[in-house]
Amino acid sequence: MGQDRALNLKSNVMKIALIDSVHLTRGGHSNTVPLGIGLLATYLIKNILGELDIKLFKNPNEISDVLKNADWVPDVVGISQYSWNSQLNLYFASLAKKNNPKCLVVAGGPNLESSPKARAEYLKINNFVDLAVAYDGEIPLLNIVKRFMTGESASDLRRNPPAGVFSVHPDTLEYTLSSAPAPRLDSINVFGAIYASGILDKFLVAGYHPLMETVRGCPFNCAFCHASDIYNSRLLFLSPEFFKADMEYIGKRLAGQSDIFLFFSNSNMGFYNEDMEMARIVRDSQKKYNWPKYINLSTGKDPQKLLEMLSIVDFEPGIAIQTLTPEVLKNICRRNIPLEEYTNFQKKVLSQRGDTTATELILNLPGETKETFLKTLSQVINSGVQTVVVLTLMKLAGTPLAAEEKAREFQYVVRHRVVPRQFSDIDGKKILDTEEVIVGTKDMSFEDYIDLRGLCFVIAAFFSSAELLPLKKFLLEVGADLFEWVLNIHQNIKSYHDINAQYENFIKETREELFASREELLKFYEQEDNFSALLKGEKGDNLLRKYKYELLSKRFSSCLALAIKGAEALLVVHQNSQEFDKMLKDLEKFLSTRDLRVFFEKNNIEKTVSLKYDIPNWSRGTNEEVRPLSDFAGSVEYAVSFTVEQEAMFSKLKDDNKDSDLSWQIIYRDGYTKDLWPVWTRL
């Protein structure tokens, strides 16, 4: 035993590299602190007596430099497997193994298969990976390291992996899994206040957004989600005292930095009573340190609890729907709240607080047809929700919907594409992270998928545009059908040449981004011209985000004109059509000042605008008693200007990114536009 063990330990110090890297070729995909590897490192340090030399990595350039340097050679390498960085992390693991064949490589994370056949194939293809962790990694990694420190080799561990760990037997090459059940922590309080410990300081210094976990687990079993496994059903809550200590530590460091968000990894934030205390702690940090200004989280689906949490702290509430088709909900083991309750929640948030709400739908769920999906779209768009994000169904490794029997039952049409912007060229090695997407089923053809993607283009650029919120508010107020408005825009795009050109490009790229296999995709991008197109952003981007940015930042006046035209078509038959026409003209005038590129690039810092309706005052209304725009009739004049802070914010974005066009993309991607809209001051 232990004959092939690494022999570079000095004074019983074990060197461990934990890697959760990110592609940086065209901006980072995951711009949050790598909390997961921080938790793993903390658990090891707290449970192993004696010194461990643990290094945490996210920046691929840093990892590459360390692995090339003989001064620090890891004995153990742990790599995260997420859909956006699996191949990049595997590359670094292979490099570490090449430099030190006796090191132990352990993989973990959600992007791992669940079936024995697929797991064995993964380990055979990536034969430099010795062990893979099936579920939570803290206890399995601790047991692996303890056994490795006592003299067991990588081969020994592969022959008899710890509980919750799988491998390929080094002698028989057969799939091997411990018969003991996968272990799970009893509490996430074992980590303490992880940020306050200082272990993640290097990532805060580098400008990554803090990521918090205050609840681990999920009580639901949605078949498209990694959290659906019964292993995750028991909930673990973080003590408020630890969260408070971390918020105090981070708030003091990031005071006033509005460009750094606070992220939560929780699956259902706002669903539990325990979340309310966490919200109060965040609110206290905002008051004390003027941070965080923005909070990014996935919320639960209890409207009353969300409203309670909204009364404590501001965030964009979003109850994900995925679909409203009963048979499809059954297929994916999901239950939604009643539509009436959902609609009442949207309207309360909009009328009482003036806030936007968001939801998610998934295109091509098993059993969904084009007709049923359009019905869901119609109901959701008219519910009062302000942002609808439509995702293409992904064949996520390890989820119930990815199982072979499901693929056969629903006749999945699976295609491969580059995870948006997730590619690198390191030392001449092209590394591409790819994903499998379902673009057709027995119930929805590929051409139906393409047609619906075109409609999703309109939803992203028009319906879900924060810039057009007052127009949507007005249409809801007068009882117009917002889905008909969306369809009208979709049907009339061809009348606007500059918008139609982008629409056609979007459809073309939607077809071209898909490949029959990963091998076919890799072969395509091995060609220098094609890889160069990736580097330039001509291929391999998030197409809905890319073209939304193209329209709103470069063709806003045409988008606004088309949106107003669609509204006029709905209201022309209304008995108050003449009055509505005047309101729409004022709305168009008001919204035209949200064409930020015109104002900033022409330095048009101040102007006076005359209106027949006091739209700025109406649009700010958040009272229980909602007053219609007609109540705000009367000529008014406003000065429209930008603040010194807004100009400074835009200048900082340009300086940070060294590229004006990239700065604009980040502004629209990260929701900075609201902060940059001009201030209206009544004269």
Side-chain angles (χ1 to χ4, degrees):
M1 184 169 73
Q3 293 299 310
D4 59 346
R5 168 73 197 284
L7 300 175
N8 65 338
L9 300 186
K10 297 178 181 179
S11 303
N12 296 319
V13 175
M14 175 168 281
K15 296 181 175 66
I16 301 176
L18 298 179
I19 303 173
D20 183 6
S21 60
V22 59
H23 294 273
L24 296 177
T25 310
R26 287 190 57 79
H29 175 91
S30 174
N31 56 359
T32 56
V33 170
L35 177 64
I37 57 174
L39 296 175
L40 290 170
T42 298
Y43 196 71
L44 289 175
I45 293 167
K46 285 179 176 287
N47 286 279
I48 292 182
L49 296 177
E51 191 174 354
L52 293 176
D53 184 2
I54 303 177
K55 294 186 185 296
L56 308 181
F57 298 101
K58 188 174 178 89
N59 187 310
N61 299 319
E62 180 190 7
I63 306 166
S64 186
D65 290 344
V66 168
L67 292 179
K68 291 175 185 175
N69 191 335
D71 293 339
W72 196 87
V73 179
D75 303 293
V76 177
V77 174
I79 57 169
S80 298
Q81 295 286 268
Y82 293 101
S83 61
W84 57 84
N85 67 5
S86 287
Q87 295 301 317
L88 184 60
N89 289 340
L90 286 167
Y91 168 76
F92 290 123
S94 69
L95 183 61
K97 197 78 163 184
K98 181 179 180 182
N99 294 344
N100 176 20
K102 297 179 181 180
C103 81
L104 178 70
V105 175
V106 184
N111 197 37
L112 290 170
E113 300 287 356
S114 58
S115 75
K117 178 182 176 182
R119 285 176 170 180
E121 184 179 359
Y122 166 84
L123 289 170
K124 289 175 182 177
I125 292 173
N126 304 294
N127 57 11
F128 47 85
V129 176
D130 298 297
L131 305 167
V133 179
Y135 295 105
D136 290 353
E138 290 90 3
I139 297 176
L141 182 61
L142 173 65
N143 291 333
I144 289 168
V145 171
K146 279 183 174 180
R147 287 173 56 179
F148 199 53
M149 291 182 77
T150 62
E152 289 192 60
S153 68
S155 294
D156 295 330
L157 286 160
R158 287 174 60 188
R159 290 186 182 96
N160 181 28
V165 178
F166 60 90
S167 65
V168 167
H169 196 286
D171 304 321
T172 65
L173 298 183
E174 292 181 350
Y175 172 71
T176 305
L177 175 70
S178 170
S179 59
R184 193 162 185 252
L185 294 173
D186 293 324
S187 169
I188 55 174
N189 287 325
V190 296
F191 304 112
I194 186 166
Y195 283 90
S197 74
I199 197 169
L200 297 170
D201 278 0
K202 65 182 282 189
F203 304 108
L204 295 176
V205 171
Y208 289 110
H209 304 284
L211 175 65
M212 297 286 199
E213 179 185 51
T214 63
V215 183
R216 181 179 293 192
C218 179
F220 306 111
N221 55 354
C222 304
F224 52 80
C225 180
H226 286 118
S228 62
D229 196 287
I230 193 171
Y231 174 90
N232 298 298
S233 60
R234 182 166 56 90
L235 301 177
L236 308 177
F237 293 94
L238 182 69
S239 169
E241 66 178 280
F242 293 131
F243 182 65
K244 185 175 182 179
D246 275 343
M247 286 300 296
E248 176 71 18
Y249 183 81
I250 300 171
K252 192 178 294 184
R253 296 179 65 106
L254 301 178
Q257 297 188 40
S258 61
D259 57 327
I260 303 294
F261 293 20
L262 173 63
F263 282 73
F264 285 90
S265 64
N266 307 2
S267 297
N268 303 287
M269 192 71 176
F271 190 70
Y272 312 107
N273 293 329
E274 289 84 351
D275 293 331
M276 304 309 151
E277 180 59 27
M278 304 304 180
R280 282 187 279 271
I281 293 170
V282 173
R283 178 195 60 193
D284 292 344
S285 176
Q286 291 174 328
K287 291 180 178 178
K288 187 174 182 179
Y289 295 112
N290 192 26
W291 184 88
K293 183 173 183 179
Y294 298 106
I295 306 168
N296 187 295
L297 45 78
S298 297
T299 61
K301 47 186 179 180
D302 185 324
Q304 291 308 311
K305 282 195 171 73
L306 284 177
L307 289 171
E308 180 184 351
M309 190 166 158
L310 277 169
S311 71
I312 301 170
V313 67
D314 284 326
F315 61 95
E316 183 177 69
I319 300 176
I321 288 293
Q322 316 307 2
T323 181
L324 290 173
T325 308
E327 188 62 29
V328 179
L329 287 169
K330 182 179 177 181
N331 290 338
I332 62 175
C333 304
R334 181 181 174 85
R335 184 174 61 186
N336 287 327
I337 64 173
L339 182 61
E340 182 179 0
E341 189 176 345
Y342 177 83
T343 301
N344 289 337
F345 170 74
Q346 311 302 332
K347 292 179 178 177
K348 279 184 180 179
V349 174
L350 185 61
S351 64
Q352 293 178 14
R353 301 175 51 82
D355 288 342
T356 59
T357 57
T359 195
E360 286 183 357
L361 301 176
I362 299 179
L363 180 57
N364 264 350
L365 287 169
E368 196 84 82
T369 66
K370 181 179 180 181
E371 291 71 28
T372 60
F373 189 75
L374 287 172
K375 184 178 179 181
T376 287
L377 276 176
S378 176
Q379 291 173 298
V380 170
I381 284 174
N382 281 308
S383 70
V385 70
Q386 297 302 311
T387 300
V388 176
V389 177
V390 183
L391 307 171
T392 295
L393 178 60
M394 291 178 61
K395 191 170 179 283
L396 293 173
T399 60
L401 280 191
E404 289 184 14
E405 57 268 25
K406 290 293 182 183
R408 289 193 298 269
E409 178 183 356
F410 293 101
Q411 299 174 27
Y412 291 165
V413 178
V414 179
R415 293 292 180 266
H416 298 250
R417 67 184 182 190
V418 177
V419 180
R421 299 188 174 208
Q422 303 315 296
F423 49 86
S424 297
D425 187 342
I426 300 177
D427 297 331
K429 171 72 173 178
K430 295 181 178 63
I431 305 164
L432 290 85
D433 271 288
T434 61
E435 58 191 9
E436 293 180 79
V437 291
I438 298 172
V439 298
T441 66
K442 67 182 180 64
D443 301 296
M444 187 179 293
S445 70
F446 176 68
E447 289 306 318
D448 285 343
Y449 165 78
I450 292 293
D451 188 49
L452 288 172
R453 279 278 287 177
L455 186 59
C456 292
F457 167 91
V458 173
I459 292 169
F462 290 86
F463 177 82
S464 296
S465 161
E467 283 72 13
L468 298 178
L469 176 57
L471 177 57
K472 292 185 290 181
K473 179 182 176 182
F474 170 68
L475 291 174
L476 275 173
E477 187 177 282
V478 300
D481 187 322
L482 285 180
F483 186 57
E484 287 299 320
W485 175 64
V486 169
L487 292 177
N488 187 283
I489 292 172
H490 191 207
Q491 292 163 1
N492 285 286
I493 278 180
K494 291 183 178 179
S495 301
Y496 293 77
H497 176 73
D498 52 346
I499 299 177
N500 188 57
Q502 293 303 313
Y503 178 85
E504 294 297 334
N505 287 338
F506 170 81
I507 296 297
K508 181 173 180 289
E509 279 200 62
T510 296
R511 293 180 182 274
E512 292 178 349
E513 73 173 354
L514 304 173
F515 294 82
S517 66
R518 173 172 162 82
E519 292 70 28
E520 182 182 310
L521 182 154
L522 294 178
K523 184 177 180 181
F524 179 83
Y525 284 113
E526 276 296 324
Q527 300 176 38
E528 287 304 322
D529 287 350
N530 296 332
F531 193 77
S532 177
L534 280 178
L535 297 177
K536 295 175 183 176
E538 296 169 0
K539 294 183 181 295
D541 209 338
N542 180 309
L543 298 184
L544 287 173
R545 185 180 65 202
K546 171 183 175 179
Y547 282 98
K548 178 177 182 175
Y549 153 72
E550 286 287 334
L551 289 187
L552 295 180
S553 70
K554 299 178 182 179
R555 298 161 180 84
F556 184 80
S557 59
S558 294
C559 289
L560 180 56
L562 177 53
I564 293 292
K565 183 181 177 65
E568 289 173 344
L570 293 184
L571 302 178
V572 69
V573 296
H574 202 284
Q575 61 180 0
N576 296 325
S577 60
Q578 290 186 339
E579 182 184 9
F580 288 166
D581 187 58
K582 294 175 184 177
M583 293 178 184
L584 285 173
K585 283 183 169 56
D586 268 7
L587 276 165
E588 185 170 17
K589 192 182 296 186
F590 174 69
L591 295 177
S592 67
T593 64
R594 295 183 175 183
D595 190 350
L596 296 178
R597 192 179 285 265
V598 169
F599 281 89
F600 278 109
E601 292 188 351
K602 292 184 179 179
N603 294 316
N604 190 356
I605 297 175
E606 185 169 350
K607 64 185 295 186
T608 300
V609 177
S610 298
L611 300 170
K612 292 183 173 62
Y613 293 85
D614 192 350
I615 291 176
N617 193 18
W618 163 79
S619 66
R620 287 191 291 263
T622 59
N623 298 323
E624 287 279 358
E625 185 180 349
V626 180
R627 296 171 58 201
L629 182 54
S630 56
D631 283 1
F632 292 80
S635 297
V636 290
E637 283 199 346
Y638 276 88
V640 183
S641 61
F642 292 95
T643 66
V644 174
E645 291 77 13
Q646 286 175 315
E647 295 182 68
M649 180 181 177
F650 182 71
S651 296
K652 182 179 184 300
L653 282 166
K654 287 201 295 185
D655 292 341
D656 287 348
N657 297 294
K658 315 298 182 188
D659 181 275
S660 180
D661 198 57
L662 179 58
S663 295
W664 280 111
Q665 288 194 41
I666 291 172
I667 285 170
Y668 282 93
R669 181 195 70 193
D670 292 344
Y672 287 132
T673 53
K674 295 178 184 178
D675 292 331
L676 292 172
W677 291 338
V679 176
W680 286 66
T681 307
R682 186 163 177 175
L683 299 176

